[in-house]
Amino acid sequence: MRLLSRSLSAKIVVAIAAVTALAIGALTWLAVTRAADAQRSAVHQSLGDLAEQRAGDVSRTNVKYSEIAGAMAAQAATVPSADRTTFKQLIQGISKTHNELNGVYYQFEHDQFGKDADYAGQETPTGMFAPYWYWEEGKLVYAPADDSEDPLDGNDWWAVPKTTLTQAVIDPYVDPNNGVMMTSYVHPILTGKTFRGVAGVDYALSDVQKFVGGLKVLDSGYSFLVTGGGKFITAEKKGWAGKATLARLKRDDLEPMRKAIAAGKPGQIEAADPFGDAASIVTWAPVDPGGWALVTVAPRDEAMAPVTELRNRLLLIGAIALIVTLGVLAFLINRLLAPLGALVERLRALARDDAPELAAGLTAMADGDLTREVAPSTEPLHVRGQDGVAIATIALNDVIERTREATEAYEQTRAGLAAMVGDVAEGAAQVAGTSQQVAGTSAQAGTSAEEIAGAMTDVARGAERQVEMIHSANAGAGRVADAVRDSATHAQATADAARSARDLAQDGAARAAEATAAMEQVREVSAAVEQAIAALADRSGKISGIAEAITGIAKQTNLLALNAAIEAARAGDQGRGFAVVAEQVRVLAAEVQEAAAAIGELTEAIESETAHTVETVSAGSERADASALVVTEAQQAFAAIAAAIDDVTARAQEISAVAERVAVDTEAVQRDIAEVAAVAEQSSASSEQVSASAHESTDATRQIAGAAERLTGAATNLDSLVSRFRR
């Protein structure tokens, strides 16, 4: 039984292990894929956030100095004309306050800040008001401008705000005097919608270049700054800043980045390093105002290192979960199938050993073989618990006990019937011997009668010899009478033994009926077992429903944990702790989902084995039906035996009646011989009467001989019937 149970457990474990391994592998791969995608998205998002954050730092610089130019333009827009010295001092003060600025200036159109002719020749030939303060070697220098030497419309710092009537950040350029990259922040001076001039500040980008060049992306990444037109403000290659553009890289894979920067849109691509060949993640974010873009370059291997680590960790967790799950499955299956396997094994033992043995014994009894012994071999099971299997075990133990009782009843019937048949055989032998003795005596009596008849013809030989012969005949007739009485006695004993045999046969038929009832109980118990196993299958179905509900909850929890991990990744360093918790929740949800799936598979396997058990129980029930049929045939055989014994009883009674008639005839012969003796004494007077009596004695003797022959035939038939039984 244990080997069978272990074999069944091994089959289930192997089947479930394959499905579980596939499920856990798929779930692990799905978790790895989703986690890797989430981590990859988080990496991309963090690089995008980094580029946006650093671009924001540069944007704040642009905003700061653009706001200074804007404040200057707003102040001049409200003053149509004033003391020019006051405005000169105003921008001088701004230059002193913001000594990081290279220059601060106003540039008005002709006659837009008073009449230029009134000031002609004082600072500029035409009198145009264009004050300009700038720093040179630590000193603040005043250098007013005049369009007579340099037309204004040819300069972006003038043409762009005049054309657009909005603020502008001029594309960086290299100052030919000091070789420093510069830019200008300019605002149009508008009174209403009338363009009157510009207010602007010049700013050296050295600090910005230093800031961008010092930015580290991961361990070995870097950043650079470009204008909307693709000109490098900072670059990894020396000499490219302010001179080269993105087009100089001659990289088609960077074309999407160039177009997005020109359109002022952020973005990210995976491509080779713009200044190398290593696989990288290139991210850019716009810098406003100015239309610039900050570009970060992160080596892909460094960026995806957390993804690789997470994947390896999840694969390890999946392997551990698979091993633990298989161990738990093996334990649970052994615990669940052990009682059921024992129950099935006992049913098989009943169907294989006890029931066929009992049926074979009854069949042998029906065939007249009373030597076959039957002993029960199936032992009852120990009952544990109060579940459906325990109830079925109790019913099975009851069937085993009933089968044992039926076997014991069979043995009692077999022993009693064997003893009865022995008694009948012995009585038949005695009847046959007595009948032969009667036949011999009758033959002797006939011979004597014939001698008497012959002697009547020779009465003259002597009355004394005649009397002796008659006395001899009288003695023979007495012996015949005694033998006939013994035959009647034995025939009566045979009839009594036959009645006992009939009672035993009827008792055997009753025992066979009890065996039939026991087989019916086997069928009822098998039906109860089927019902209990069906209840077990129904509970397994409920467990499957619970497992499906757990799986749904685990899936929702997994999605929530994944969303939480993404949000934590977006939160950056502040969300790391929450990301760890979210990851643990997600792992727990995945494990719950895997366990629920394993429980579902396990319940499906249990339902399959339950169906197999139902088939086995049904087969046992069919065998019980076959055994019941055999018992019914045995019952019919007992009925046939009872009928045969009734026939024996009738024949024995007939023999007894014949023997009684023979006894009566023998007594008549004795009386006749007595009369012959009397007549013999008077032989001389009544020889004719003696002769007639002798003839009558001869006829009676012949009748006795015929009755003895019939009695011998009946005894032979009785012995033939009894010889059918083997004891």
Side-chain angles (χ1 to χ4, degrees):
M1 184 272 292
R2 291 182 178 177
L3 291 176
L4 178 63
S5 176
R6 288 179 181 174
S7 176
L8 179 61
S9 300
K11 292 178 182 178
I12 295 177
V13 168
V14 169
I16 296 180
V19 176
T20 303
L22 181 61
I24 292 179
L27 290 174
T28 302
W29 179 253
L30 180 61
V32 168
T33 302
R34 288 186 175 179
D37 290 342
Q39 188 69 21
R40 188 177 295 106
S41 298
V43 168
H44 284 281
Q45 183 66 37
S46 63
L47 291 175
D49 293 342
L50 177 63
E52 184 178 354
Q53 180 182 357
R54 300 311 182 205
D57 294 337
V58 178
S59 293
R60 280 189 287 275
T61 299
N62 286 357
V63 169
K64 174 182 177 182
Y65 298 123
S66 180
E67 287 178 349
I68 293 174
M72 291 168 56
Q75 187 173 10
T78 60
V79 181
S81 65
D83 185 1
R84 293 187 175 187
T85 302
T86 302
F87 269 76
K88 287 166 55 178
Q89 293 173 349
L90 173 65
I91 62 176
Q92 183 183 17
I94 293 173
S95 297
K96 291 180 179 179
T97 303
H98 297 280
N99 56 6
E100 74 274 13
L101 295 174
N102 284 60
V104 181
Y105 58 90
Y106 277 116
Q107 180 69 58
F108 284 92
E109 286 271 26
H110 286 292
D111 298 327
Q112 287 297 323
F113 199 79
K115 294 292 184 177
D116 289 347
D118 295 341
Y119 300 96
Q122 293 183 9
E123 292 184 354
T124 61
T126 61
M128 176 184 283
F129 186 51
Y132 180 65
W133 292 93
Y134 70 95
W135 290 94
E136 185 177 6
E137 296 180 357
K139 294 181 179 180
L140 193 59
V141 180
Y142 179 71
D146 191 346
D147 64 348
S148 61
E149 298 177 357
D150 184 10
L152 297 178
D153 290 337
N155 296 286
D156 289 341
W157 56 269
W158 174 265
V160 172
K162 181 179 180 180
T163 303
T164 61
L165 299 181
T166 60
Q167 65 174 334
V169 179
I170 306 307
D171 275 357
Y173 56 92
V174 178
D175 190 327
N177 296 321
N178 55 20
V180 176
M181 182 169 285
M182 305 280 292
T183 188
S184 297
Y185 302 93
V186 293
H187 273 257
I189 300 172
L190 300 174
T191 300
K193 293 184 179 181
T194 302
F195 176 76
R196 296 175 57 201
V198 298
V201 297
D202 293 334
Y203 178 67
L205 296 175
S206 302
D207 291 340
V208 173
Q209 290 175 319
K210 184 178 180 181
F211 170 75
V212 174
L215 292 178
K216 285 295 183 182
V217 181
L218 302 179
D219 293 333
S220 58
Y222 61 92
S223 302
F224 60 88
L225 193 63
V226 296
T227 66
K231 180 188 291 187
F232 286 103
I233 300 174
T234 65
E236 282 294 292
K237 287 190 177 182
K238 189 176 181 181
W240 281 40
K243 298 178 181 179
T245 64
L246 291 172
R248 186 174 176 179
L249 295 172
K250 297 180 181 181
R251 292 274 298 277
D252 293 338
D253 55 343
L254 298 179
E255 187 63 18
M257 179 182 72
R258 188 190 64 77
K259 291 181 179 180
I261 290 174
K265 296 180 179 179
Q268 189 176 74
I269 59 173
E270 291 191 12
D273 189 331
F275 296 97
D277 56 3
S280 303
I281 300 175
V282 182
T283 310
W284 61 91
V287 176
D288 290 318
W292 304 346
L294 179 74
V295 182
T296 62
V297 179
R300 191 179 185 281
D301 291 341
E302 292 183 15
M304 294 303 167
V307 177
T308 303
E309 181 182 358
L310 177 61
R311 180 193 62 194
N312 295 336
R313 185 181 303 171
L314 289 176
L315 290 175
L316 178 61
I317 292 173
I320 294 174
L322 176 61
I323 294 173
V324 172
T325 301
L326 292 180
V328 172
L329 282 177
F331 176 75
L332 291 177
I333 289 173
N334 284 329
R335 289 294 301 273
L336 289 173
L337 293 183
L340 195 59
L343 183 67
V344 172
E345 182 62 25
R346 287 298 191 278
L347 285 173
R348 288 178 177 175
L350 277 176
R352 183 183 63 247
D353 299 329
D354 291 3
E357 283 293 321
L358 181 59
L362 292 174
T363 302
M365 181 181 291
D367 293 337
D369 186 2
L370 302 178
T371 61
R372 180 155 187 165
E373 297 181 358
V374 177
S377 61
T378 303
E379 297 295 330
L381 283 172
H382 179 66
V383 180
R384 296 180 179 178
Q386 298 180 350
D387 55 3
V389 176
I391 295 174
T393 303
I394 294 174
L396 176 62
N397 289 341
D398 185 59
V399 171
I400 293 174
E401 183 62 28
R402 295 296 180 88
T403 304
R404 187 181 297 274
E405 292 176 357
T407 303
E408 293 174 355
Y410 163 80
E411 283 295 314
Q412 294 175 358
T413 302
R414 184 185 65 81
L417 186 59
M420 177 198 70
V421 170
D423 293 341
V424 170
E426 184 179 356
Q430 293 177 358
V431 169
T434 303
S435 298
Q436 291 176 357
Q437 184 178 1
V438 169
T441 305
S442 297
Q444 185 178 2
T447 302
S448 299
E450 289 178 355
E451 291 177 353
I452 291 172
M456 291 301 97
T457 61
D458 197 12
V459 176
R461 295 180 179 180
E464 185 176 355
R465 181 175 178 79
Q466 193 175 50
V467 169
E468 292 177 357
M469 293 297 293
I470 291 172
H471 280 298
S472 176
N474 188 24
R479 290 194 298 272
V480 169
D482 293 337
V484 169
R485 290 189 187 92
D486 291 340
S487 297
T489 301
H490 288 306
Q492 186 63 38
T494 300
D496 294 339
R499 290 190 189 93
S500 299
R502 182 187 59 191
D503 294 339
L504 289 176
Q506 291 176 351
D507 185 66
R511 296 293 185 179
E514 292 178 359
T516 302
M519 293 301 104
E520 183 64 27
Q521 289 181 353
V522 169
R523 289 196 297 269
E524 292 176 358
V525 170
S526 298
V529 171
E530 291 180 1
Q531 294 176 358
I533 296 175
L536 178 61
D538 182 62
R539 293 181 181 177
S540 299
K542 293 180 179 179
I543 294 174
S544 297
I546 295 172
E548 291 177 359
I550 294 173
T551 301
I553 295 172
K555 287 181 179 179
Q556 294 298 323
T557 305
N558 194 7
L559 290 176
L560 291 175
L562 182 59
N563 291 333
I566 293 173
E567 293 300 327
R570 290 179 178 175
D573 294 338
Q574 290 79 8
R576 287 185 178 176
F578 184 67
V580 173
V581 175
E583 175 64 16
Q584 294 299 322
V585 171
R586 190 196 62 75
V587 170
L588 180 60
E591 292 177 353
V592 171
Q593 186 175 358
E594 292 166 5
I599 291 171
E601 296 294 337
L602 177 60
T603 54
E604 289 179 3
I606 292 175
E607 290 175 359
S608 175
E609 290 303 321
T610 302
H612 177 67
T613 302
V614 170
E615 294 177 358
T616 302
V617 172
S618 298
S621 178
E622 292 176 358
R623 293 184 180 179
D625 292 339
S627 299
L629 181 60
V630 173
V631 172
T632 301
E633 293 176 354
Q635 184 177 4
Q636 294 174 356
F638 275 119
I641 292 172
I645 292 174
D646 288 339
D647 183 61
V648 170
T649 303
R651 290 180 181 273
Q653 290 177 349
E654 181 180 354
I655 291 171
S656 177
V658 170
E660 289 178 358
R661 289 197 300 272
V662 169
V664 171
D665 292 340
T666 303
E667 290 177 355
V669 169
Q670 284 182 314
R671 287 193 300 272
D672 291 339
I673 292 174
E675 292 177 0
V676 168
V679 172
E681 293 177 355
Q682 300 174 358
S683 58
S684 59
S686 54
S687 58
E688 293 181 358
Q689 183 178 359
V690 171
S691 178
S693 297
H695 285 295
E696 291 177 0
S697 297
T698 300
D699 293 337
T701 302
R702 289 174 180 172
Q703 291 178 359
I704 292 171
E709 289 178 357
R710 290 194 299 273
L711 180 61
T712 302
T716 301
N717 291 333
L718 178 60
D719 185 69
S720 176
L721 289 175
V722 172
S723 65
R724 292 175 55 193
F725 294 94
R726 286 177 290 173
R727 307 183 297 279

